[in-house]
Amino acid sequence: MASLAHLHFVGIAGSFMVGAARLAAECGYKVSGSDTGFYPPMGEQARNIKATLFEDYDFDVKSRPADCYIIGNALSRGNPLVESILREHRPYISGPQWLYENILRGKTTLAVAGTHGKTTTASLLSWILEGADFSPGFLLGGVHQNFGVSAKLGGGRYFVIEADEYDSAFFDKRPKFLHYHPTVAVLNNLEFDHADIYDSIDEITKQFHYLMRTIPEDGQVLVRLGDDNLKHVIKRGVYSPILTFGGNDNGDWQWRFMNGDMAITKNGVECCRFTPPITGAINRDNILAATAAAAAVGVDVAKIGEYLQSYQPPLRRLQKIVEANNILIFDDFAHHPTAYRRTIEALAETYPKRRIIVAFEPRSNSMKAGVFNKALATAFTGAARVIAYSGGVTWSLADVLSPLGDVAVTEDVIDNVANRIADEARPGDCVLLMFNGDFGGLAKKIKSRFLEKVC
């Protein structure tokens, strides 16, 4: 595989695929790719790779010549380019398998797994390692603002990867993380998700157990305490040393938050104290996880605060996109009730006197399937106003949000969501947009309507 000169990434604008394509280009491969929607920020990342891009799949593979085709997990049978690859007997491979065989093999890989916080934790970890002169490589599901990219080859033996339990390709149903063979694994949390490929939480915990089987006996497993599903993973068997972490639990690693400063302790002894660069308990958990993982490969924990002083979170992770007329507008990738709730809590912690207006799209496969309906309303109890886009679901979003009373309203036209926010937001408010896709260009629409309103 390493001798192949030209790789074509089918689904190149996906969060994993664009990172893999960037790494391939850094390695010297000739890179091309196909996709249908080059949405920001990952679409912009794809356009910034030295690659030939095609904005469609409706062509015979002969017009997309390559030595091997890396097929993303968003593609399936029936896709015209996939069908042509199969019909012409062209070589193909899943992205995660290609990544291990050509990038990760032989490296010390640090994998960050969990339902929530993977991108943020992995970005924190990579920036800590960069500060410690480890020159890490990384592949994230978001754009690391400090580096300006979602993936980087790095100059050393260490590689940080966001370890997703979603499957690898239509022909490779293993979770992505089973390909990575990490030396250090972070298990940050675990809830049911990906209802399109998993029928129960037990099926997911089984896959996490399989991940444990791939970690060497001289590796390190870091597990957040207080998560019952992670307890089940550990009970199935772990073959490497375990250290635990948890805010106010009895973990080996803990954090305390006092007067705006975060203190990190190991076995009850304070290692460092600093002002965290990102807010909220969810992010303090992420910082703690990244600190424990960095310590596992020899980073001086006393310098963590110094390394994180210049840290910037990934794009679309509680990212402020507009500030005008004393109204703040934030963009966030949250797409699960727990992430909704904890993101709202983080924003309220930073701006306790501001009213929070939330707009969200239930876009993930699990959300569209109605798996989280019972938990959805309670996820928004910290918001003063909830504006939900109902155009993408077949069940009644209004009924699901009815416990919120007049706080919640649904709209089935995206322009109406934007107009309602522009009409209702007033000085002193925070507007929080939460969605894991393009949301019909909502962020751009909000900017336009908002700026027209305040100018």
Short mmCIF file of all heavy atoms in Angstrom, two decimals, residues 221-250:
data_model
loop_
_atom_site.label_atom_id
_atom_site.label_comp_id
_atom_site.label_asym_id
_atom_site.label_seq_id
_atom_site.Cartn_x
_atom_site.Cartn_y
_atom_site.Cartn_z
N VAL A 221 -4.87 2.39 30.27
CA VAL A 221 -6.29 2.66 30.08
C VAL A 221 -6.72 3.66 31.14
O VAL A 221 -6.50 3.45 32.34
CB VAL A 221 -7.13 1.37 30.21
CG1 VAL A 221 -8.62 1.69 30.09
CG2 VAL A 221 -6.72 0.37 29.15
N LEU A 222 -7.31 4.75 30.71
CA LEU A 222 -7.78 5.81 31.59
C LEU A 222 -9.30 5.84 31.53
O LEU A 222 -9.87 6.04 30.45
CB LEU A 222 -7.19 7.15 31.17
CG LEU A 222 -5.65 7.21 31.24
CD1 LEU A 222 -5.11 8.32 30.37
CD2 LEU A 222 -5.20 7.39 32.68
N VAL A 223 -9.96 5.67 32.66
CA VAL A 223 -11.41 5.50 32.71
C VAL A 223 -12.02 6.53 33.65
O VAL A 223 -11.59 6.66 34.81
CB VAL A 223 -11.80 4.09 33.20
CG1 VAL A 223 -13.31 3.91 33.14
CG2 VAL A 223 -11.09 3.02 32.39
N ARG A 224 -13.03 7.25 33.16
CA ARG A 224 -13.71 8.21 34.02
C ARG A 224 -14.64 7.48 34.98
O ARG A 224 -15.46 6.65 34.56
CB ARG A 224 -14.51 9.23 33.20
CG ARG A 224 -15.09 10.36 34.06
CD ARG A 224 -15.71 11.45 33.21
NE ARG A 224 -16.91 11.01 32.54
CZ ARG A 224 -18.12 11.03 33.11
NH1 ARG A 224 -18.28 11.43 34.35
NH2 ARG A 224 -19.17 10.62 32.42
N LEU A 225 -14.52 7.79 36.26
CA LEU A 225 -15.39 7.19 37.27
C LEU A 225 -16.79 7.78 37.19
O LEU A 225 -17.00 8.88 36.66
CB LEU A 225 -14.82 7.44 38.67
CG LEU A 225 -13.63 6.57 39.09
CD1 LEU A 225 -13.22 6.92 40.53
CD2 LEU A 225 -13.96 5.10 39.00
N GLY A 226 -17.75 7.05 37.72
CA GLY A 226 -19.12 7.54 37.81
C GLY A 226 -19.96 7.24 36.60
O GLY A 226 -21.12 7.65 36.54
N ASP A 227 -19.42 6.52 35.63
CA ASP A 227 -20.17 6.18 34.42
C ASP A 227 -20.48 4.68 34.47
O ASP A 227 -19.58 3.84 34.34
CB ASP A 227 -19.34 6.52 33.18
CG ASP A 227 -20.12 6.39 31.89
OD1 ASP A 227 -20.67 5.30 31.64
OD2 ASP A 227 -20.17 7.37 31.11
N ASP A 228 -21.74 4.34 34.66
CA ASP A 228 -22.12 2.93 34.81
C ASP A 228 -21.80 2.10 33.57
O ASP A 228 -21.41 0.93 33.68
CB ASP A 228 -23.61 2.82 35.13
CG ASP A 228 -23.95 3.28 36.53
OD1 ASP A 228 -23.04 3.31 37.38
OD2 ASP A 228 -25.12 3.62 36.79
N ASN A 229 -21.95 2.68 32.40
CA ASN A 229 -21.67 1.92 31.18
C ASN A 229 -20.18 1.61 31.05
O ASN A 229 -19.80 0.53 30.58
CB ASN A 229 -22.17 2.68 29.96
CG ASN A 229 -23.68 2.76 29.92
OD1 ASN A 229 -24.36 1.79 30.25
ND2 ASN A 229 -24.21 3.90 29.51
N LEU A 230 -19.33 2.54 31.48
CA LEU A 230 -17.90 2.26 31.47
C LEU A 230 -17.55 1.19 32.50
O LEU A 230 -16.61 0.40 32.29
CB LEU A 230 -17.10 3.54 31.70
CG LEU A 230 -17.12 4.56 30.57
CD1 LEU A 230 -16.26 5.76 30.93
CD2 LEU A 230 -16.63 3.95 29.26
N LYS A 231 -18.28 1.15 33.60
CA LYS A 231 -18.06 0.09 34.58
C LYS A 231 -18.28 -1.28 33.94
O LYS A 231 -17.54 -2.23 34.18
CB LYS A 231 -19.00 0.26 35.78
CG LYS A 231 -18.68 1.42 36.69
CD LYS A 231 -19.68 1.50 37.83
CE LYS A 231 -19.43 2.71 38.72
NZ LYS A 231 -20.47 2.82 39.79
N HIS A 232 -19.31 -1.36 33.11
CA HIS A 232 -19.59 -2.63 32.43
C HIS A 232 -18.48 -3.00 31.46
O HIS A 232 -18.14 -4.18 31.30
CB HIS A 232 -20.93 -2.54 31.69
CG HIS A 232 -22.12 -2.44 32.59
ND1 HIS A 232 -22.30 -3.26 33.67
CD2 HIS A 232 -23.18 -1.60 32.58
CE1 HIS A 232 -23.43 -2.94 34.29
NE2 HIS A 232 -23.98 -1.94 33.65
N VAL A 233 -17.90 -1.98 30.80
CA VAL A 233 -16.78 -2.24 29.90
C VAL A 233 -15.62 -2.85 30.69
O VAL A 233 -15.03 -3.86 30.28
CB VAL A 233 -16.32 -0.95 29.20
CG1 VAL A 233 -15.03 -1.18 28.41
CG2 VAL A 233 -17.42 -0.43 28.28
N ILE A 234 -15.30 -2.25 31.81
CA ILE A 234 -14.17 -2.71 32.61
C ILE A 234 -14.42 -4.11 33.17
O ILE A 234 -13.51 -4.96 33.21
CB ILE A 234 -13.87 -1.72 33.75
CG1 ILE A 234 -13.54 -0.34 33.16
CG2 ILE A 234 -12.73 -2.21 34.62
CD1 ILE A 234 -12.45 -0.34 32.12
N LYS A 235 -15.64 -4.39 33.57
CA LYS A 235 -15.96 -5.71 34.11
C LYS A 235 -15.78 -6.82 33.08
O LYS A 235 -15.51 -7.96 33.44
CB LYS A 235 -17.41 -5.71 34.64
CG LYS A 235 -17.60 -4.98 35.96
CD LYS A 235 -19.05 -5.03 36.41
CE LYS A 235 -19.25 -4.30 37.72
NZ LYS A 235 -20.67 -4.32 38.16
N ARG A 236 -15.93 -6.48 31.81
CA ARG A 236 -15.75 -7.49 30.76
C ARG A 236 -14.29 -7.93 30.65
O ARG A 236 -14.01 -9.01 30.11
CB ARG A 236 -16.20 -6.93 29.41
CG ARG A 236 -17.71 -6.82 29.24
CD ARG A 236 -18.03 -6.20 27.88
NE ARG A 236 -19.45 -6.11 27.62
CZ ARG A 236 -20.15 -7.02 26.93
NH1 ARG A 236 -19.53 -8.09 26.45
NH2 ARG A 236 -21.44 -6.87 26.72
N GLY A 237 -13.38 -7.10 31.12
CA GLY A 237 -11.97 -7.48 31.09
C GLY A 237 -11.09 -6.40 30.50
O GLY A 237 -11.41 -5.84 29.44
N VAL A 238 -10.01 -6.09 31.19
CA VAL A 238 -9.00 -5.15 30.72
C VAL A 238 -7.65 -5.81 30.93
O VAL A 238 -7.42 -6.47 31.95
CB VAL A 238 -9.08 -3.81 31.48
CG1 VAL A 238 -8.00 -2.85 30.99
CG2 VAL A 238 -10.45 -3.17 31.29
N TYR A 239 -6.75 -5.64 30.00
CA TYR A 239 -5.50 -6.38 29.99
C TYR A 239 -4.29 -5.47 30.13
O TYR A 239 -3.16 -5.88 29.92
CB TYR A 239 -5.42 -7.19 28.69
CG TYR A 239 -6.72 -7.91 28.42
CD1 TYR A 239 -7.71 -7.33 27.61
CD2 TYR A 239 -7.02 -9.12 29.04
CE1 TYR A 239 -8.93 -7.96 27.41
CE2 TYR A 239 -8.23 -9.76 28.84
CZ TYR A 239 -9.18 -9.18 28.02
OH TYR A 239 -10.40 -9.80 27.83
N SER A 240 -4.55 -4.23 30.50
CA SER A 240 -3.51 -3.21 30.64
C SER A 240 -3.73 -2.48 31.96
O SER A 240 -4.83 -2.53 32.53
CB SER A 240 -3.59 -2.21 29.47
OG SER A 240 -3.76 -2.87 28.24
N PRO A 241 -2.73 -1.78 32.46
CA PRO A 241 -2.91 -1.01 33.69
C PRO A 241 -4.03 0.02 33.55
O PRO A 241 -4.18 0.64 32.49
CB PRO A 241 -1.55 -0.34 33.89
CG PRO A 241 -0.60 -1.18 33.14
CD PRO A 241 -1.34 -1.72 31.96
N ILE A 242 -4.81 0.19 34.61
CA ILE A 242 -5.93 1.14 34.62
C ILE A 242 -5.65 2.25 35.62
O ILE A 242 -5.23 1.99 36.75
CB ILE A 242 -7.25 0.45 34.99
CG1 ILE A 242 -7.63 -0.62 33.98
CG2 ILE A 242 -8.38 1.47 35.11
CD1 ILE A 242 -8.88 -1.39 34.38
N LEU A 243 -5.91 3.48 35.21
CA LEU A 243 -5.99 4.61 36.12
C LEU A 243 -7.35 5.26 35.91
O LEU A 243 -7.87 5.28 34.79
CB LEU A 243 -4.88 5.62 35.88
CG LEU A 243 -3.47 5.23 36.33
CD1 LEU A 243 -2.47 6.32 35.96
CD2 LEU A 243 -3.43 4.96 37.83
N THR A 244 -7.92 5.78 36.97
CA THR A 244 -9.24 6.40 36.88
C THR A 244 -9.13 7.90 37.04
O THR A 244 -8.18 8.43 37.62
CB THR A 244 -10.17 5.83 37.97
OG1 THR A 244 -9.59 6.05 39.26
CG2 THR A 244 -10.40 4.34 37.77
N PHE A 245 -10.12 8.59 36.50
CA PHE A 245 -10.18 10.04 36.67
C PHE A 245 -11.64 10.44 36.86
O PHE A 245 -12.56 9.77 36.40
CB PHE A 245 -9.54 10.77 35.49
CG PHE A 245 -10.24 10.57 34.16
CD1 PHE A 245 -11.21 11.46 33.72
CD2 PHE A 245 -9.90 9.51 33.33
CE1 PHE A 245 -11.84 11.29 32.50
CE2 PHE A 245 -10.52 9.32 32.11
CZ PHE A 245 -11.50 10.21 31.69
N GLY A 246 -11.85 11.54 37.55
CA GLY A 246 -13.21 12.02 37.77
C GLY A 246 -13.20 13.25 38.65
O GLY A 246 -12.42 13.30 39.63
N GLY A 247 -14.06 14.22 38.32
CA GLY A 247 -14.06 15.49 39.03
C GLY A 247 -14.11 15.36 40.53
O GLY A 247 -13.11 15.48 41.23
N ASN A 248 -15.29 15.09 41.06
CA ASN A 248 -15.44 15.00 42.51
C ASN A 248 -15.57 13.55 42.98
O ASN A 248 -16.01 13.29 44.09
CB ASN A 248 -16.67 15.81 42.96
CG ASN A 248 -16.48 17.29 42.71
OD1 ASN A 248 -15.42 17.83 42.96
ND2 ASN A 248 -17.51 17.94 42.19
N ASP A 249 -15.19 12.60 42.12
CA ASP A 249 -15.21 11.20 42.49
C ASP A 249 -13.89 10.84 43.18
O ASP A 249 -13.09 11.72 43.50
CB ASP A 249 -15.43 10.33 41.26
CG ASP A 249 -16.81 10.54 40.66
OD1 ASP A 249 -17.80 10.52 41.42
OD2 ASP A 249 -16.89 10.76 39.44
N ASN A 250 -13.67 9.59 43.38
CA ASN A 250 -12.46 9.13 44.05
C ASN A 250 -11.45 8.57 43.08
O ASN A 250 -10.77 7.58 43.36
CB ASN A 250 -12.82 8.08 45.11
CG ASN A 250 -13.69 8.66 46.21
OD1 ASN A 250 -13.42 9.75 46.70
ND2 ASN A 250 -14.72 7.93 46.58
#
